Amino acid sequence: TFCRIHQKSITCLDISSGGGLGVSTSTDGTMKIWQAANGEIRRLLEGHVYDVNCCRFFPSGLVVLSGGMDAQLKIWSAEDASCVVTFKGHKGGILDTAIVDRGRNVLSCSRDGTARLWDCGKSACLGVIADCGSPVNGIAVGTADNSLNLGTPEKAPSEREIGTEWKILLLAREDKKLQGVGLQSRQPVFLFVGSDAFNCCTFLSSTYILAGTQDGNIYQLDVRNTNAPIQVIHRSGAPVLSLLPYRDGFIASQGDGTCFIVQQDLDYVIDLTEADCDPVYKVASWEKQIYTCCRDGIVRRYQLFDL
């Protein structure tokens, strides 16, 4: 356990691609980079006004993307903590981000109901991918199954769009809808109505996706036919806060403090934590190490061993 990174609730964290560094955001108003091995703080990233909601490393592991309640999206150097780009355009707090391929383009979603695509090199907005009329709590981008019709763009994409073709963007919406949109076409691909607000979503593969709701449901869907879910996993009524693909399954965390790994055709469960009333907001992994962040202000690291 790393108790000294933040003073208050930790809302998001990520681990770099090499496993050496962690980044986290907190309701104490700070965002910090730390050694993943021991929690020792390396850098303080300062520049957002109000709380920082989300953070993630670029694939290089040398750069961080963050979104805040100030409606700003920022890119930071993990080496010297400088803010190299600030994106402005959202009208409400940014709730989640995604990175397209190596990171020439990035995505964000917001309380303002939109998801936007950004050009990192020119620090410009390339377009509104979706305008939902309801807060978008989480997004995920993935390569679509080649049998899926992603639609055709109404106008030719900008040459600044890099890697958007054959991609689908998932939107976990507050109005109980999970939406799929062609990233390059901006055209709707599917709309699935769930039991409650969707908090998070992720890809298991090019055909299978997961999405978690406020009332504790984890839906597994096939993007080629979203009329009915493949299965619904429900372990408690607590909000599903985080979903992360892991090996041949996934890791989920909930608002009652539970965090568990589902593997092997989604019927084998390993519990990392039991319900203890402190929400586990986010899960990150590097190889066999799993990191969680919690309302109690502690980052926990688990080491998995093959049985």
Side-chain angles (χ1 to χ4, degrees):
T1 58
F2 304 146
C3 310
R4 303 207 173 131
I5 298 173
H6 294 284
Q7 304 304 311
K8 290 185 179 177
S9 174
I10 303 172
T11 50
C12 191
L13 89 170
D14 193 25
I15 303 297
S16 65
S17 52
L21 294 176
V23 61
S24 54
T25 61
S26 168
T27 55
D28 64 12
T30 66
M31 177 166 49
K32 296 178 182 179
I33 292 174
W34 35 273
Q35 291 284 145
N38 57 18
E40 183 181 319
I41 295 167
R42 295 288 301 274
R43 295 283 181 267
L44 178 63
L45 306 181
E46 295 182 294
H48 278 289
V49 187
Y50 313 123
D51 284 354
V52 189
N53 290 334
C54 46
C55 58
R56 69 171 68 240
F57 281 100
F58 278 73
S60 67
L62 303 173
V63 186
V64 169
L65 177 66
S66 68
M69 286 303 291
D70 56 7
Q72 294 183 36
L73 191 67
K74 289 179 178 282
I75 296 175
W76 311 79
S77 163
E79 296 173 303
D80 65 7
S82 61
C83 177
V84 291
V85 175
T86 298
F87 299 108
K88 296 181 182 179
H90 279 296
K91 303 286 194 292
I94 293 170
L95 300 178
D96 199 9
T97 62
I99 294 171
V100 182
D101 290 349
R102 287 167 52 203
R104 303 269 293 276
N105 293 171
V106 297
L107 291 149
S108 59
C109 67
S110 164
R111 288 185 192 276
D112 67 13
T114 67
R116 291 173 179 259
L117 180 70
W118 307 87
D119 173 1
C120 296
K122 292 253 174 99
S123 54
C125 182
L126 289 169
V128 175
I129 305 300
D131 190 347
C132 303
S134 170
V136 182
N137 295 321
I139 52 173
V141 67
T143 302
D145 181 85
N146 55 19
S147 67
L148 204 61
N149 179 9
L150 297 182
T152 307
E154 290 179 0
K155 60 182 182 189
S158 160
E159 75 275 2
R160 301 293 304 179
E161 280 194 31
I162 311 291
T164 57
E165 62 276 10
W166 313 116
K167 299 287 197 314
I168 185 168
L169 180 68
L170 301 181
L171 304 147
R173 295 166 39 165
E174 183 71 20
D175 61 2
K176 305 185 182 182
K177 291 170 184 165
L178 178 72
Q179 185 175 5
V181 177
L183 183 53
Q184 191 178 73
S185 71
R186 323 285 205 254
Q187 301 296 322
V189 176
F190 70 83
L191 190 66
F192 175 80
V193 180
S195 55
D196 203 344
F198 280 98
N199 292 327
C200 50
C201 54
T202 193
F203 284 84
L204 288 178
S205 69
S206 62
T207 50
Y208 298 127
I209 58 175
L210 291 174
T213 61
Q214 186 69 12
D215 60 356
N217 284 328
I218 299 172
Y219 290 91
Q220 186 191 2
L221 298 163
D222 184 327
V223 291
R224 298 165 299 184
N225 180 5
T226 58
N227 291 333
I230 297 168
Q231 68 169 338
V232 182
I233 298 167
H234 185 94
R235 299 194 74 209
S236 82
V240 180
L241 301 176
S242 179
L243 290 166
L244 178 75
Y246 187 74
R247 297 194 171 182
D248 57 353
F250 65 91
I251 309 171
S253 72
Q254 294 189 259
D256 59 3
T258 56
C259 185
F260 54 93
I261 308 171
V262 180
Q263 283 188 296
Q264 292 164 359
D265 295 330
L266 311 186
D267 61 2
Y268 176 63
V269 176
I270 304 167
D271 283 297
L272 293 180
T273 57
E274 303 291 334
D276 64 0
C277 299
D278 259 333
V280 178
Y281 291 117
K282 197 77 176 179
V283 182
S285 70
W286 183 74
E287 294 187 347
K288 292 183 182 178
Q289 295 177 29
I290 295 172
Y291 295 77
T292 65
C293 67
C294 197
R295 189 169 65 187
D296 61 11
I298 297 173
V299 171
R300 291 171 173 82
R301 188 181 77 198
Y302 301 87
Q303 178 76 41
L304 293 183
F305 299 94
D306 290 325
L307 297 175

